[in-house]
Amino acid sequence: MSESIIKSKQVQKEVNGISTEVVCTEFSNYIFIVLSQYGKIGTLVSVSPDSRSNDISTPAFSTKVLLGKDEPLTHVCAKNLAMFVSQEAGNRPVLLGLALKDSSIDAIKKFKEIIKSCKVW
């Protein structure tokens, strides 16, 4: 059987008492991460390195809600969860599906650890 070209990992963990699923998939031009506490993709956010940034040491990232509610908190969560992935993946854009019951700072830190454990890039 031939191996799939697309690498994907899935993890399910409890975060602050809530069952949380993370699926990380690597495509040639972007990383797709679904972080769900509802069993669905939820709000789809694109997080990409901003090429207009002049300061190389602190790259700027732009976030854009492609599907779902466009709220300021969504952009903050997306940036926090996807920036390190993009940087580790050679500044590839990240497509992030968020369906969260708990978006506290504590939960975001735990989500980042789960995403790191699903590393496919």
Side-chain angles (χ1 to χ4, degrees):
M1 202 163 125
S2 67
E3 227 183 281
S4 174
I5 296 168
I6 297 169
K7 286 196 286 186
S8 189
K9 274 190 186 170
Q10 184 171 357
V11 172
Q12 185 165 3
K13 287 204 167 132
E14 286 233 337
V15 174
N16 299 340
I18 303 165
S19 177
T20 306
E21 279 186 88
V22 175
V23 181
C24 296
T25 308
E26 180 190 42
F27 293 91
S28 60
N29 55 345
Y30 66 94
I31 308 293
F32 182 41
I33 299 171
V34 177
L35 182 59
S36 182
Q37 295 179 319
Y38 288 99
K40 54 186 175 187
I41 289 179
T43 303
L44 210 50
V45 187
S46 166
V47 181
S48 45
D50 200 336
S51 56
R52 293 168 302 183
S53 174
N54 295 332
D55 188 358
I56 294 164
S57 62
T58 54
F61 282 80
S62 53
T63 53
K64 184 177 178 188
V65 172
L66 305 175
L67 191 72
K69 257 200 257 182
D70 192 344
E71 298 171 322
L73 186 63
T74 304
H75 292 270
V76 172
C77 283
K79 261 188 192 169
N80 268 301
L81 292 166
M83 247 168 45
F84 79 93
V85 174
S86 174
Q87 289 169 329
E88 287 182 7
N91 287 332
R92 275 188 280 179
V94 177
L95 193 57
L96 190 61
L98 292 175
L100 305 176
K101 293 178 185 176
D102 180 356
S103 55
S104 66
I105 290 171
D106 177 55
I108 297 291
K109 284 180 183 166
K110 290 175 181 169
F111 297 149
K112 281 173 90 166
E113 290 309 309
I114 299 170
I115 291 170
K116 282 179 186 168
S117 76
C118 274
K119 187 173 178 174
V120 291
W121 51 91

